[in-house]
Amino acid sequence: MKLEVSRITWQDSRGALQKPLTAAFVCDVHDGPYDHILPCLTDVDMILIAGDLTNRHDPNPPRNAGGFLRTCVGAAPVWYSIGNHELKMRGARDWRKVMEDSGAHILDNTVEQARADLWIGGLSSQLHPVDDTAPRLLSGKDGFRLLLCHHPEYYEPLVMKHDIDLTLAGHAHGGQFRILGHGLYAPGQGLFPRLTSGFYEDRRLLVSRGTGTHGIIPRLWNPCQLIILTLLPKDGA
């Protein structure tokens, strides 16, 4: 499976971030093989997982997701928010124990301080997306405010009204088929989705195309993606 590694720099214009930070941003692995991802997880300060390590369409327990999560924790501190596949999968309680036992920081509509100048929140997938607890709590924190939110379509109704510096999302799989740089379809957005890859909302929302796939529909002209994100302070080089 072809994996594109995108190295992206984002500068904090608010002056909340006191020193640089480099993070591997991972989402939508869907219980797939992960050996090709591991070389990208070296020399980062943290690993940020925005949901869907598992594949809810597989009736069997996850084969690869647990090993991948434990490997990530062995490489760097991990913050992991809940996607729709974790929410709806068979054996969700068993997977919850795997998540908690891994040593990762599980953000299930919660917020944690990751560094003196950095807070991270996780806006979980919801059957009816109306709960904005995580972005609301995060917006009140002193320091840089980073939100993991699996669904980019949650940004406008649940995140935009809060003071969040940067939101990281996935879920759209790049629009599955990409034609002239635009996706064809994304769950939650339908045909010709707007939020599929890259920056949106004045660079406050970054959407990954995801590191894996699932189901029988292929990805066309749409390589899988892992993002190495470097956050710079306002006066950083």
Side-chain angles (χ1 to χ4, degrees):
M1 185 182 301
K2 184 178 179 181
L3 179 68
E4 177 182 295
V5 179
S6 301
R7 298 186 179 274
I8 294 175
T9 300
W10 193 97
Q11 192 159 24
D12 170 27
S13 61
R14 193 165 62 87
L17 202 65
Q18 300 303 305
K19 59 182 181 179
L21 169 73
T22 298
F25 169 32
V26 183
C27 62
D28 299 293
V29 178
H30 290 301
D31 200 38
Y34 57 85
D35 287 349
H36 61 304
I37 302 175
L38 299 183
C40 307
L41 304 182
T42 60
D43 301 322
V44 296
D45 299 308
M46 61 179 58
I47 299 169
L48 304 172
I49 302 175
D52 282 11
L53 284 190
T54 62
N55 179 6
R56 70 182 180 90
H57 301 299
D58 189 341
N60 301 303
R63 289 180 285 266
N64 298 310
F68 177 66
L69 183 56
R70 289 187 292 271
T71 301
C72 287
V73 171
V78 174
W79 277 264
Y80 174 12
S81 68
I82 306 300
N84 59 295
H85 280 253
E86 286 91 355
L87 177 68
K88 300 178 181 178
M89 67 181 286
R90 297 176 179 87
R93 288 186 179 181
D94 293 336
W95 177 247
R96 180 75 185 213
K97 188 174 189 309
V98 172
M99 290 192 298
E100 293 172 347
D101 289 349
S102 72
H105 298 264
I106 308 303
L107 300 172
D108 188 0
N109 290 322
T110 55
V111 172
E112 290 189 10
Q113 188 169 18
R115 217 170 65 175
D117 59 343
L118 173 66
W119 289 82
I120 304 176
L123 176 54
S124 300
S125 291
Q126 305 169 32
L127 296 177
H128 305 287
V130 295
D131 185 351
D132 67 344
T133 297
R136 177 167 46 81
L137 292 175
L138 186 61
S139 66
K141 301 300 184 182
D142 291 329
F144 190 85
R145 303 154 187 165
L146 179 67
L147 181 69
L148 304 181
C149 174
H150 183 66
H151 299 259
E153 70 273 17
Y154 285 10
Y155 187 84
E156 184 173 349
L158 300 181
V159 181
M160 182 183 289
K161 59 188 174 183
H162 300 291
D163 191 7
I164 308 298
D165 294 298
L166 180 61
T167 298
L168 305 181
H171 188 57
H173 295 188
Q176 205 66 38
F177 301 167
R178 290 187 70 79
I179 301 172
L180 299 177
H182 298 281
L184 181 63
Y185 175 81
Q189 298 184 68
L191 289 171
F192 309 113
R194 184 173 72 90
L195 309 172
T196 60
S197 178
F199 281 109
Y200 302 91
E201 306 296 343
D202 196 26
R203 290 177 63 88
R204 293 189 174 275
L205 170 65
L206 176 59
V207 182
S208 169
R209 297 194 303 272
T211 55
T213 188
H214 68 86
I216 60 173
I217 302 176
R219 296 172 66 127
L220 296 179
W221 311 293
N222 176 26
C224 295
Q225 181 183 40
L226 182 138
I227 294 175
I228 303 297
L229 175 65
T230 298
L231 302 177
L232 294 176
K234 185 175 183 180
D235 57 354

